[in-house]
Each structure stands twice: as C-alpha cells, then as structure tokens.
C-alpha cells in the first residue's frame, strides 16, 4: 500500500518519537502527583519538570501554568476565569473553542487578508466598559498571524484583559506571553507533535483569574481540579522542547513549493501571503467544492482538510473565509498544513495529485 502524504498538521501533528518516549517512560511512574509519599513525589517531579520546560519555553512563570485537557479547555477556562464581570469581545475568525465559550460576544471584523481590524477593536474598547478580548495569534485555516502585540497595547491602554489563543502558532513561530504583553495564552500538546488530551493555559502575573471552571481537589493551585495524566504532560514537554528546534525556513520553502504548484493549476491563495505561519496555506479552487477536493486528494493518498477539522466530519463553509469577504471561494478552499516531519517527496506527491484533481474539478 502506498504511504499517505500527511499534510494536515493543523488538525493534529504526527507524534514525535521524543514525545512518545517521554510518555512511555512516565507511564512507568505509578504515583498520584498530589500524594505525599515517595511514589507521589516521583510523579510530581515529572510534572513539575514538564511545567518548567513548557512555561519557560512560552514566556511564563512555572506557577502561572495550568495544565488542561487541551486547547479547547484552555480557551474555555480563560473565558470563564478572566471573563467574570467583563464584556466579551472576540475576533470574527476565532476557533470554535472560543466562539462556543464566548457566545453573544461583540465581534471584531477582519480585512480581506484575514487580519483583525485594530481600529474597530479600539472603537469598541473606547467606551471604557470592562472587557475580555480574545484574539488568536495565528489562524488555524489561513495561517495568518494577527497583530497581537498591538492589540495588547490597545487593551492595556483601555484597561481591558487580553486572552490569546496560540494553539496553532505555538511551535510554528516564536511565541512568548511576556513579549506579547497579553494576560493569558492557550496552547495544545498535539499541535506541537505531542500526545492529544493535554494543553495549558499560561497566565501573566497580573491576569485577573477569578474562578476555576472545574472544581475538585485543589489541583493546579485550585485553578483546575482533577488528577492530571502525568505521562501526557511529560510528552507535551518533550514535544514543546523539540518543536523549538524545528527548521521553519525549510518548512516554509516546501510550503511555498506546494503553493506554486497549486497556483499554476488555478488555485487562489486565501489570506495575507507574507504574514503567515511557515507551514500553512489555504488554497481555493474556483468552482470546486472544498469537500470534493478533500475526497479527490484523499483518493490520491494526500491528507488535507477543508478549513477546520470538525467532529461531525461534515464540511461547512468556512466562517473565517466568509469573514474575509471571500464570497463563493469560502466554500471552495482547502487547508494544506505541513507537519514537522514533512519531506520533499510529500510535496512532489501533492503537486502531482493537485494537477490531476484540478484538471478534473476546475470550472
Ligand atoms: N484553538 C485553535 C486555533 C485550534 O486550531 C484548535 C484546534 O484545532 C483549538 C483551539 C482546540 O485545541 P484542542 O484540539 O487541543 O482542543
């Protein structure tokens, strides 16, 4: 059987061998990190070492990192814990993890390049109403990087709190909470090449954390109850450490090669072509429904997706591309996202497959 060329890293990354090794090693540790005895202390050491690595890597203090079950929970926790008594303001291109947690929020539009409108954000904030703003660092569908440092300056000027969803940005560009000057940052292990089922919310020292989302036994300094899966946390740290050494220039060169091949066959790039994550491109093929393109490429052993991966497996028109005013193209775009272990062979296979698929589907 021919190998699948996996180009859907923004859905999930392949597990890094170092992360798998760390998970397996930590599964051999028996204790509950809350227990006082030696077994508990051994488990706690694994967790606290991991906490140091991850917090240090993303510009936070170890005591300000809260382990969660993933990016979705980290976002929900931020909205719950920092949003108490505040109006919610979110960008039009946030992931459903934020959109569902912040139902009824005021929406900040984006321009046709997929970049958030800072003037509109400033106008919303100028009424002085205490607010929590949620803005992603990089969009999961287009890869477009948002001006989060400028948004943070605006928020601080108006006394608002800023939560940053860095789930897709982490590992694909330098990400540090202290440099962004935001109040909190969500990250997720499986987007870094670690195991799924673990993530973290990082807090700035002045983040107004009001209340936990999950109560329980006082774990995570009373900010997230429940016995953590120590092995997943260990794998998360290994992936975070290794992802910091990825050659992003090489990844970008391969992404550009894939993009050139697609554009030569009629594709249109969605989103700002410069201000993007190294591994992501969003390609619309006029006249060809996104879901059909994904299936046609799957038959060619190329794994890509139509916008965000969604649990029902159904392809919906992208709210991100709609917000960018892409019209019909919003239903005709696929996301190609290169994993940490992408090869030239993957991109050559994609280029050849895209040419065949586009010739059949293009109108
Ligand atoms: N935020 C963004 C931008 C994402 O792309 C995703 C997942 O695709 C999430 C949050 C949710 O992360 P998780 O899958 O770890 O729950």
């Amino acid at each position: 059987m021919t190998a699948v060329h996996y180009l859907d890293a923004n859905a999930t990354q392949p597990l890094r061998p170092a992360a798998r090794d760390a998970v397996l090693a930590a599964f051999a540790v028996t204790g509950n990190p809350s227990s006082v005895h030696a077994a508990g202390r051994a488990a706690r050491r694994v967790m606290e070492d991991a906490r140091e690595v991850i917090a240090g890597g993303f510009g936070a203090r170890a005591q300000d990192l809260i382990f969660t079950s993933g990016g979705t929970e980290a976002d929900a926790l931020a909205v719950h814990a920092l949003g108490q008594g505040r109006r919610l303001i979110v960008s039009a291109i946030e992931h459903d993890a934020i959109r569902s947690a912040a139902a009824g929020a005021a929406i900040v539009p984006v321009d046709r390049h997929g970049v958030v409108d800072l003037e509109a954000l400033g106008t919303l904030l100028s009424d002085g109403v205490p607010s929590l703003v949620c803005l992603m660092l990089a969009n999961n569908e287009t890869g477009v990087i948002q001006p989060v440092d400028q948004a943070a300056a605006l928020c601080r000027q108006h006394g608002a709190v800023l939560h940053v969803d860095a789930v897709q940005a982490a590992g694909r560009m330098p990400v540090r909470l202290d440099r962004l000057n935001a109040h909190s940052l969500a990250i997720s292990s499986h987007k870094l090449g670690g195991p799924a089922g673990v993530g973290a919310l990082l807090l700035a020292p002045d983040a107004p954390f009001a209340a936990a989302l999950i109560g329980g036994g006082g774990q995570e300094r009373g900010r997230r109850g429940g016995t953590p899966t120590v092995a997943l946390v260990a794998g998360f740290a290994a992936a975070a450490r290794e992802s910091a050494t990825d050659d992003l220039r090489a990844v970008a060169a391969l992404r550009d090669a894939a993009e050139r091949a697609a554009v030569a066959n009629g594709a249109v790039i969605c989103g700002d072509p410069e201000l993007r994550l190294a591994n992501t491109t969003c390609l619309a093929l006029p006249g060809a429904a996104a879901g059909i393109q994904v299936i046609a490429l799957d038959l060619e052993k190329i794994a890509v997706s139509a916008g965000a991966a969604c649990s029902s497996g159904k392809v919906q028109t992208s709210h991100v591309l709609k917000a960018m005013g892409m019209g019909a193209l919003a239903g005709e775009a696929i996301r190609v996202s290169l994993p940490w272990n992408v090869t030239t062979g993957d991109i050559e296979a994609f280029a050849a497959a895209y040419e065949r698929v586009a010739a059949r589907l293009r109108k």
Side-chain angles (χ1 to χ4, degrees), residues 22 71 86 95 305:
R86 292 186 174 83
H95 189 271
S305 68

Side-chain angles (χ1 to χ4, degrees), residues 10 70-73 75 95 97 136 138 140 165 167-168 188 190-191:
N10 291 10
T72 301
E73 189 193 323
D75 280 333
H95 189 271
M136 60 196 345
N140 46 302
D165 177 341
V167 166
Q168 292 293 348
S188 175
H190 73 114
K191 310 287 188 185

